[in-house]
Amino acid sequence: MKSARSVVLSMRLSVESGRRLKRIANRHGWTPSDASARLVEEGLRRSEFAFLDFRDSPAGRQACVQGSTLAVWEVMFLLRSYEGRVAAVAKHLRWPEAKVRAAQNYAEAFPEEIAEAMAENDSADFQTLKRMLPQAVEFSRATKRR
């Protein structure tokens, strides 16, 4: 979530909320100001887009589809492989089409964010994946012998 311009706003938080905000900021290596700006932005996006949530992942904080383990970019990856056919992706995921369209709507509103995540995925090889997921095991499809 990058922004070229910003505005300074002040807010009051309860002491406990301030502590929680500082814990989140420390966990991510952010300042409390950065953490509050990110959380406000995420809250605004959640209110503007259906079926949207944000989660931490090995690749960082990502927009995800509620009620699933999939990031928005992963749904877009499936849409790309199904040549943009929403109904086919919905059938594949066993979701209502509305959830796939919700991911598509978010991706259209934030194309740079989604393109960056997809490019990072496209450039990753098994060694990159293994660093993020040490339990990963490489396998290959067996070929038939005649």
Side-chain angles (χ1 to χ4, degrees):
M1 288 180 220
K2 298 170 187 157
S3 173
R5 296 179 50 183
S6 63
V7 61
V8 175
L9 299 173
S10 67
M11 68 168 81
R12 269 190 206 287
L13 296 174
S14 69
V15 171
E16 180 54 29
S17 292
R19 284 187 190 124
R20 290 167 52 212
L21 179 66
K22 287 177 183 177
R23 276 196 305 269
I24 288 173
N26 288 336
R27 184 179 332 138
H28 290 283
W30 304 332
T31 66
S33 178
D34 288 340
S36 62
R38 287 171 184 256
L39 293 172
V40 166
E41 179 63 22
E42 288 177 8
L44 292 170
R45 290 183 187 193
R46 272 191 202 101
S47 71
E48 294 166 355
F49 293 91
F51 302 113
L52 183 69
D53 204 358
F54 287 87
R55 288 191 213 110
D56 294 326
S57 77
R61 201 118 169 105
Q62 300 188 79
C64 298
V65 178
Q66 283 179 348
S68 81
T69 60
L70 296 180
V72 170
W73 74 263
E74 292 172 308
V75 177
M76 298 312 295
F77 182 84
L78 284 170
L79 266 169
R80 181 174 71 183
S81 67
Y82 277 97
E83 300 172 341
R85 292 176 292 143
V86 171
V89 172
K91 183 178 178 181
H92 174 89
L93 294 171
R94 296 183 181 145
W95 285 0
E97 288 184 28
K99 271 191 161 181
V100 177
R101 283 198 190 94
Q104 194 174 36
N105 290 341
Y106 182 86
E108 287 171 1
F110 300 98
E112 297 86 15
E113 176 184 326
I114 302 306
E116 184 178 317
M118 290 180 77
E120 185 175 330
N121 178 71
D122 290 344
S123 69
D125 59 8
F126 182 72
Q127 292 308 314
T128 304
L129 180 64
K130 193 173 176 180
R131 284 192 293 273
M132 290 191 307
L133 303 167
Q135 73 277 19
V137 177
E138 190 169 17
F139 65 94
S140 60
R141 185 177 71 166
T143 57
K144 289 184 179 180
R145 293 185 184 180
R146 292 181 183 201

